[in-house]
PDB file of all heavy atoms in Angstrom:
ATOM      1  N   GLU A  24       0.914 -11.617   8.048  1.00  0.00           N
ATOM      2  CA  GLU A  24       1.665 -11.946   6.828  1.00  0.00           C
ATOM      3  C   GLU A  24       3.150 -12.160   7.195  1.00  0.00           C
ATOM      4  O   GLU A  24       3.792 -13.149   6.705  1.00  0.00           O
ATOM      5  CB  GLU A  24       1.546 -10.870   5.883  1.00  0.00           C
ATOM      6  CG  GLU A  24       2.256 -11.192   4.503  1.00  0.00           C
ATOM      7  CD  GLU A  24       2.147 -10.042   3.524  1.00  0.00           C
ATOM      8  OE1 GLU A  24       1.330  -9.083   3.684  1.00  0.00           O
ATOM      9  OE2 GLU A  24       2.761 -10.207   2.493  1.00  0.00           O
ATOM     10  N   GLN A  25       3.678 -11.476   8.107  1.00  0.00           N
ATOM     11  CA  GLN A  25       5.081 -11.551   8.526  1.00  0.00           C
ATOM     12  C   GLN A  25       5.239 -12.839   9.174  1.00  0.00           C
ATOM     13  O   GLN A  25       6.251 -13.625   9.017  1.00  0.00           O
ATOM     14  CB  GLN A  25       5.393 -10.428   9.438  1.00  0.00           C
ATOM     15  CG  GLN A  25       6.905 -10.347   9.860  1.00  0.00           C
ATOM     16  CD  GLN A  25       7.233  -9.232  10.740  1.00  0.00           C
ATOM     17  OE1 GLN A  25       6.426  -8.863  11.623  1.00  0.00           O
ATOM     18  NE2 GLN A  25       8.346  -8.533  10.624  1.00  0.00           N
ATOM     19  N   PHE A  26       4.344 -13.252  10.085  1.00  0.00           N
ATOM     20  CA  PHE A  26       4.374 -14.598  10.687  1.00  0.00           C
ATOM     21  C   PHE A  26       4.294 -15.662   9.739  1.00  0.00           C
ATOM     22  O   PHE A  26       5.098 -16.643   9.826  1.00  0.00           O
ATOM     23  CB  PHE A  26       3.208 -14.685  11.820  1.00  0.00           C
ATOM     24  CG  PHE A  26       3.218 -15.953  12.414  1.00  0.00           C
ATOM     25  CD1 PHE A  26       4.096 -16.320  13.512  1.00  0.00           C
ATOM     26  CD2 PHE A  26       2.369 -16.946  12.122  1.00  0.00           C
ATOM     27  CE1 PHE A  26       4.017 -17.478  14.173  1.00  0.00           C
ATOM     28  CE2 PHE A  26       2.326 -18.219  12.763  1.00  0.00           C
ATOM     29  CZ  PHE A  26       3.192 -18.443  13.844  1.00  0.00           C
ATOM     30  N   SER A  27       3.461 -15.565   8.735  1.00  0.00           N
ATOM     31  CA  SER A  27       3.362 -16.608   7.729  1.00  0.00           C
ATOM     32  C   SER A  27       4.642 -16.751   6.963  1.00  0.00           C
ATOM     33  O   SER A  27       4.942 -17.831   6.660  1.00  0.00           O
ATOM     34  CB  SER A  27       2.194 -16.325   6.777  1.00  0.00           C
ATOM     35  OG  SER A  27       2.047 -17.156   5.779  1.00  0.00           O
ATOM     36  N   LEU A  28       5.196 -15.676   6.694  1.00  0.00           N
ATOM     37  CA  LEU A  28       6.591 -15.716   5.971  1.00  0.00           C
ATOM     38  C   LEU A  28       7.591 -16.379   6.801  1.00  0.00           C
ATOM     39  O   LEU A  28       8.384 -17.148   6.228  1.00  0.00           O
ATOM     40  CB  LEU A  28       7.017 -14.281   5.573  1.00  0.00           C
ATOM     41  CG  LEU A  28       6.211 -13.611   4.428  1.00  0.00           C
ATOM     42  CD1 LEU A  28       6.498 -12.094   4.280  1.00  0.00           C
ATOM     43  CD2 LEU A  28       6.440 -14.275   3.117  1.00  0.00           C
ATOM     44  N   ARG A  29       7.668 -16.139   8.055  1.00  0.00           N
ATOM     45  CA  ARG A  29       8.511 -16.655   8.952  1.00  0.00           C
ATOM     46  C   ARG A  29       8.331 -18.195   9.069  1.00  0.00           C
ATOM     47  O   ARG A  29       9.407 -18.976   8.957  1.00  0.00           O
ATOM     48  CB  ARG A  29       8.499 -16.172  10.415  1.00  0.00           C
ATOM     49  CG  ARG A  29       9.289 -14.737  10.534  1.00  0.00           C
ATOM     50  CD  ARG A  29       9.535 -14.509  11.997  1.00  0.00           C
ATOM     51  NE  ARG A  29       8.416 -14.710  12.841  1.00  0.00           N
ATOM     52  CZ  ARG A  29       7.595 -13.850  13.352  1.00  0.00           C
ATOM     53  NH1 ARG A  29       7.649 -12.506  12.946  1.00  0.00           N
ATOM     54  NH2 ARG A  29       6.746 -14.231  14.222  1.00  0.00           N
ATOM     55  N   MET A  30       7.171 -18.604   9.025  1.00  0.00           N
ATOM     56  CA  MET A  30       6.765 -20.081   9.082  1.00  0.00           C
ATOM     57  C   MET A  30       7.282 -20.746   7.762  1.00  0.00           C
ATOM     58  O   MET A  30       7.865 -21.892   7.776  1.00  0.00           O
ATOM     59  CB  MET A  30       5.349 -20.359   9.358  1.00  0.00           C
ATOM     60  CG  MET A  30       4.925 -19.973  10.787  1.00  0.00           C
ATOM     61  SD  MET A  30       5.700 -20.889  12.009  1.00  0.00           S
ATOM     62  CE  MET A  30       6.871 -19.764  12.591  1.00  0.00           C
ATOM     63  N   GLN A  31       7.000 -20.015   6.589  1.00  0.00           N
ATOM     64  CA  GLN A  31       7.451 -20.626   5.331  1.00  0.00           C
ATOM     65  C   GLN A  31       8.978 -20.707   5.315  1.00  0.00           C
ATOM     66  O   GLN A  31       9.489 -21.743   4.793  1.00  0.00           O
ATOM     67  CB  GLN A  31       6.910 -19.679   4.243  1.00  0.00           C
ATOM     68  CG  GLN A  31       5.555 -19.783   4.002  1.00  0.00           C
ATOM     69  CD  GLN A  31       5.048 -18.742   2.884  1.00  0.00           C
ATOM     70  OE1 GLN A  31       5.856 -18.161   2.211  1.00  0.00           O
ATOM     71  NE2 GLN A  31       3.736 -18.539   2.755  1.00  0.00           N
ATOM     72  N   LYS A  32       9.690 -19.825   5.837  1.00  0.00           N
ATOM     73  CA  LYS A  32      11.089 -19.728   5.810  1.00  0.00           C
ATOM     74  C   LYS A  32      11.551 -20.950   6.673  1.00  0.00           C
ATOM     75  O   LYS A  32      12.583 -21.696   6.353  1.00  0.00           O
ATOM     76  CB  LYS A  32      11.657 -18.518   6.380  1.00  0.00           C
ATOM     77  CG  LYS A  32      13.200 -18.447   6.346  1.00  0.00           C
ATOM     78  CD  LYS A  32      13.698 -17.087   6.930  1.00  0.00           C
ATOM     79  CE  LYS A  32      15.181 -17.141   6.938  1.00  0.00           C
ATOM     80  NZ  LYS A  32      15.700 -15.933   7.524  1.00  0.00           N
ATOM     81  N   ALA A  33      10.972 -21.132   7.826  1.00  0.00           N
ATOM     82  CA  ALA A  33      11.410 -22.194   8.721  1.00  0.00           C
ATOM     83  C   ALA A  33      11.239 -23.642   8.154  1.00  0.00           C
ATOM     84  O   ALA A  33      11.907 -24.421   8.339  1.00  0.00           O
ATOM     85  CB  ALA A  33      10.512 -22.117  10.082  1.00  0.00           C
ATOM     86  N   GLN A  34      10.108 -23.721   7.292  1.00  0.00           N
ATOM     87  CA  GLN A  34       9.942 -25.008   6.563  1.00  0.00           C
ATOM     88  C   GLN A  34      10.702 -25.087   5.302  1.00  0.00           C
ATOM     89  O   GLN A  34      10.473 -26.064   4.643  1.00  0.00           O
ATOM     90  CB  GLN A  34       8.383 -25.094   6.463  1.00  0.00           C
ATOM     91  CG  GLN A  34       7.610 -25.161   7.629  1.00  0.00           C
ATOM     92  CD  GLN A  34       6.026 -25.161   7.406  1.00  0.00           C
ATOM     93  OE1 GLN A  34       5.693 -25.025   6.276  1.00  0.00           O
ATOM     94  NE2 GLN A  34       5.425 -25.226   8.467  1.00  0.00           N
ATOM     95  N   GLY A  35      11.325 -24.057   4.995  1.00  0.00           N
ATOM     96  CA  GLY A  35      12.153 -24.208   3.675  1.00  0.00           C
ATOM     97  C   GLY A  35      11.322 -24.009   2.422  1.00  0.00           C
ATOM     98  O   GLY A  35      11.835 -24.393   1.312  1.00  0.00           O
ATOM     99  N   GLN A  36      10.225 -23.371   2.561  1.00  0.00           N
ATOM    100  CA  GLN A  36       9.354 -23.217   1.437  1.00  0.00           C
ATOM    101  C   GLN A  36       9.467 -21.823   0.701  1.00  0.00           C
ATOM    102  O   GLN A  36       8.995 -21.626  -0.414  1.00  0.00           O
ATOM    103  CB  GLN A  36       7.876 -23.299   1.747  1.00  0.00           C
ATOM    104  CG  GLN A  36       7.533 -24.685   2.402  1.00  0.00           C
ATOM    105  CD  GLN A  36       6.031 -24.668   2.906  1.00  0.00           C
ATOM    106  OE1 GLN A  36       5.387 -23.657   2.936  1.00  0.00           O
ATOM    107  NE2 GLN A  36       5.636 -25.795   3.190  1.00  0.00           N
ATOM    108  N   ASN A  37      10.004 -20.831   1.296  1.00  0.00           N
ATOM    109  CA  ASN A  37      10.025 -19.476   0.831  1.00  0.00           C
ATOM    110  C   ASN A  37      11.135 -19.351  -0.076  1.00  0.00           C
ATOM    111  O   ASN A  37      12.278 -19.307   0.160  1.00  0.00           O
ATOM    112  CB  ASN A  37      10.168 -18.474   2.037  1.00  0.00           C
ATOM    113  CG  ASN A  37       9.852 -17.109   1.600  1.00  0.00           C
ATOM    114  OD1 ASN A  37       9.248 -16.856   0.544  1.00  0.00           O
ATOM    115  ND2 ASN A  37      10.171 -16.085   2.423  1.00  0.00           N
ATOM    116  N   ALA A  38      10.715 -18.793  -1.396  1.00  0.00           N
ATOM    117  CA  ALA A  38      11.681 -18.451  -2.404  1.00  0.00           C
ATOM    118  C   ALA A  38      11.726 -16.967  -2.683  1.00  0.00           C
ATOM    119  O   ALA A  38      12.565 -16.596  -3.263  1.00  0.00           O
ATOM    120  CB  ALA A  38      11.355 -19.186  -3.687  1.00  0.00           C
ATOM    121  N   GLN A  39      10.745 -16.282  -1.894  1.00  0.00           N
ATOM    122  CA  GLN A  39      10.642 -14.780  -2.275  1.00  0.00           C
ATOM    123  C   GLN A  39      11.119 -14.108  -1.055  1.00  0.00           C
ATOM    124  O   GLN A  39      10.445 -13.517  -0.226  1.00  0.00           O
ATOM    125  CB  GLN A  39       9.190 -14.490  -2.515  1.00  0.00           C
ATOM    126  CG  GLN A  39       8.740 -15.060  -3.801  1.00  0.00           C
ATOM    127  CD  GLN A  39       7.283 -14.706  -4.006  1.00  0.00           C
ATOM    128  OE1 GLN A  39       6.572 -14.202  -3.203  1.00  0.00           O
ATOM    129  NE2 GLN A  39       6.826 -15.079  -5.159  1.00  0.00           N
ATOM    130  N   THR A  40      12.375 -13.977  -0.879  1.00  0.00           N
ATOM    131  CA  THR A  40      13.005 -13.473   0.292  1.00  0.00           C
ATOM    132  C   THR A  40      12.772 -11.887   0.445  1.00  0.00           C
ATOM    133  O   THR A  40      12.831 -11.313   1.499  1.00  0.00           O
ATOM    134  CB  THR A  40      14.515 -13.655   0.417  1.00  0.00           C
ATOM    135  OG1 THR A  40      15.114 -13.331  -0.716  1.00  0.00           O
ATOM    136  CG2 THR A  40      14.729 -15.162   0.597  1.00  0.00           C
ATOM    137  N   HIS A  41      12.505 -11.211  -0.687  1.00  0.00           N
ATOM    138  CA  HIS A  41      12.314  -9.796  -0.671  1.00  0.00           C
ATOM    139  C   HIS A  41      10.973  -9.433   0.009  1.00  0.00           C
ATOM    140  O   HIS A  41      10.733  -8.269   0.422  1.00  0.00           O
ATOM    141  CB  HIS A  41      12.286  -9.258  -2.174  1.00  0.00           C
ATOM    142  CG  HIS A  41      11.152  -9.791  -2.975  1.00  0.00           C
ATOM    143  ND1 HIS A  41      11.026 -11.061  -3.497  1.00  0.00           N
ATOM    144  CD2 HIS A  41      10.005  -9.275  -3.245  1.00  0.00           C
ATOM    145  CE1 HIS A  41       9.930 -11.178  -4.106  1.00  0.00           C
ATOM    146  NE2 HIS A  41       9.152 -10.163  -4.025  1.00  0.00           N
ATOM    147  N   GLN A  42      10.138 -10.438   0.204  1.00  0.00           N
ATOM    148  CA  GLN A  42       8.820 -10.115   0.982  1.00  0.00           C
ATOM    149  C   GLN A  42       9.100  -9.810   2.337  1.00  0.00           C
ATOM    150  O   GLN A  42       8.309  -8.964   2.898  1.00  0.00           O
ATOM    151  CB  GLN A  42       7.890 -11.254   0.829  1.00  0.00           C
ATOM    152  CG  GLN A  42       7.472 -11.516  -0.620  1.00  0.00           C
ATOM    153  CD  GLN A  42       6.657 -10.529  -1.210  1.00  0.00           C
ATOM    154  OE1 GLN A  42       5.989  -9.749  -0.506  1.00  0.00           O
ATOM    155  NE2 GLN A  42       6.731 -10.349  -2.535  1.00  0.00           N
TER     156      GLN A  42
END
Side-chain angles (χ1 to χ4, degrees):
E24 183 179 353
Q25 187 179 38
F26 178 77
S27 175
L28 287 170
R29 279 199 317 259
M30 290 299 107
Q31 288 176 11
K32 180 180 178 185
Q34 294 174 357
Q36 297 175 354
N37 192 12
Q39 299 177 349
T40 56
H41 66 281
Q42 295 297 329

